[in-house]
Amino acid sequence: MRWPFSTFPNNQKQTKIKFNNMFKPAVITLIAVFLTTGIFAQIYVKNPGNVGVGINLPADKLHVNGNLRLSGDKEFFFEDNGQIRSLDDNHRILFRRAENKMELREYGNIILSSGSTTGTETATMVLTNGGNVGVGTASPAYKLHVQGDVKGNNFVANAYQYADYVFDSAYQLPSLQEVKNFIQKNHHLPDVPSEKEVKKDGLNLASHQVILLKKIEELTLYTIDQNERLKLLEEKMNQVLNDNIKLKREVESLKALTPPSRNIK
């Protein structure tokens, strides 16, 4: 049944209500509210109990063609598990009360534009649908891509190879002359990325730490080798000094046995 009303002052917009007989008390109450508050809109009640506001074919229990507003400190509740989603199911916020979880599901990228309420997005933080997180960049190329400074108390990286192989007996330690020749030719240490490479590709902290450890271990081997050479030189020097002392003693002994020379006039 459809009741049209046309008794509003100044020929204001009509309010039209569609309802079955079972909804008459509720409709009468709605009419009273609308007449006393001066709100003029269209509310439709359709079987099996769908209510439309601003739309005459409501597809759900409450179907609103327009904006919703909660005044004051009013709240919107889910009695149990619930969700807010787009019609195409590509964008969802799920509330799973039994698990104490709130889940955000997004087919595309999740963008946080802090510091902006109007205009274009600032994209201060981005989570791509591939799982990359960008801070200060809208196109993160890594799992965590930060355009700016990072401060923390600790950093743990998984290293798939460590540099202790330098201490293996099979490791071929380059000679210092070979290292010198490489430096003169390339202007950086062997295995260490050049300044040009770092400016282009950045610096992999995990692998770079392994490279630095390798160089420290090689320096340790060079130092041990030089120390052994110094010990040998010291032993030889001491031997030479001892031999020299013996020679001096023998010379003094020979001098004592030799009679003084006489001057012949």
Side-chain angles (χ1 to χ4, degrees):
M1 181 180 294
R2 180 177 180 130
W3 286 5
F5 296 86
S6 58
T7 58
F8 297 112
N10 301 325
N11 295 322
Q12 294 186 20
K13 185 177 181 180
Q14 294 182 352
T15 299
K16 299 179 181 179
I17 302 179
K18 289 185 175 182
F19 62 98
N20 295 325
N21 290 334
M22 63 181 294
F23 293 109
K24 283 183 179 180
V27 172
I28 292 172
T29 302
L30 289 172
I31 293 173
V33 172
F34 273 64
L35 288 175
T36 55
T37 59
I39 299 174
F40 305 100
Q42 289 184 340
I43 296 180
Y44 297 90
V45 180
K46 298 284 291 184
N47 191 33
N50 291 348
V51 177
V53 180
I55 185 169
N56 61 358
L57 294 174
D60 291 285
K61 291 300 180 184
L62 177 60
H63 191 163
V64 179
N65 184 18
N67 298 328
L68 294 176
R69 176 178 296 185
L70 298 177
S71 300
D73 57 355
K74 302 299 185 292
E75 297 177 345
F76 184 76
F77 293 98
F78 289 101
E79 188 171 310
D80 203 334
N81 298 339
Q83 63 177 295
I84 300 173
R85 66 178 177 86
S86 63
L87 193 60
D88 60 3
D89 290 337
N90 287 336
H91 323 282
R92 294 188 179 197
I93 302 176
L94 293 91
F95 303 91
R96 307 208 297 267
R97 188 177 62 83
E99 304 175 59
N100 289 324
K101 292 180 180 179
M102 185 188 79
E103 180 183 357
L104 180 60
R105 295 183 183 178
E106 172 57 45
Y107 179 78
N109 296 341
I110 298 174
I111 299 174
L112 301 180
S113 291
S114 60
S116 174
T117 57
T118 60
T120 60
E121 65 185 37
T122 60
T124 53
M125 186 172 179
V126 174
L127 173 60
T128 70
N129 56 6
N132 290 350
V133 178
V135 180
T137 175
S139 302
Y142 304 93
K143 288 301 178 185
L144 178 59
H145 190 162
V146 179
Q147 185 66 33
D149 298 332
V150 177
K151 181 180 180 180
N153 295 330
N154 195 16
F155 180 81
V156 178
N158 294 326
Y160 298 102
Q161 187 181 29
Y162 216 48
D164 286 349
Y165 60 84
V166 171
F167 294 140
D168 191 283
S169 59
Y171 180 72
Q172 296 294 321
L173 182 68
S175 68
L176 288 174
Q177 185 61 48
E178 291 174 329
V179 175
K180 178 182 177 181
N181 294 338
F182 185 93
I183 293 174
Q184 289 178 339
K185 180 180 179 180
N186 300 283
H187 306 290
H188 63 88
L189 286 172
D191 303 320
V192 177
S194 66
E195 180 182 4
K196 183 179 179 180
E197 291 172 327
V198 172
K199 287 183 177 180
K200 178 185 176 183
D201 303 323
L203 187 67
N204 187 314
L205 294 179
S207 63
H208 195 66
Q209 285 297 109
V210 174
I211 292 172
L212 293 179
L213 177 61
K214 177 181 179 181
K215 295 305 159 186
I216 291 173
E217 292 181 349
E218 288 180 341
L219 283 173
T220 302
L221 291 179
Y222 289 131
T223 303
I224 292 173
D225 180 67
Q226 288 181 346
N227 184 62
E228 291 177 350
R229 290 172 181 269
L230 287 173
K231 286 174 64 177
L232 289 174
L233 289 174
E234 185 178 0
E235 290 175 359
K236 289 182 178 180
M237 181 67 70
N238 289 333
Q239 184 65 43
V240 169
L241 290 174
N242 290 331
D243 291 344
N244 189 38
I245 291 172
K246 289 180 180 180
L247 288 173
K248 285 184 177 180
R249 287 176 181 173
E250 290 177 359
V251 169
E252 292 297 328
S253 298
L254 290 174
K255 285 182 177 180
L257 294 174
T258 302
S261 59
R262 295 179 180 181
N263 294 329
I264 300 174
K265 295 183 179 179

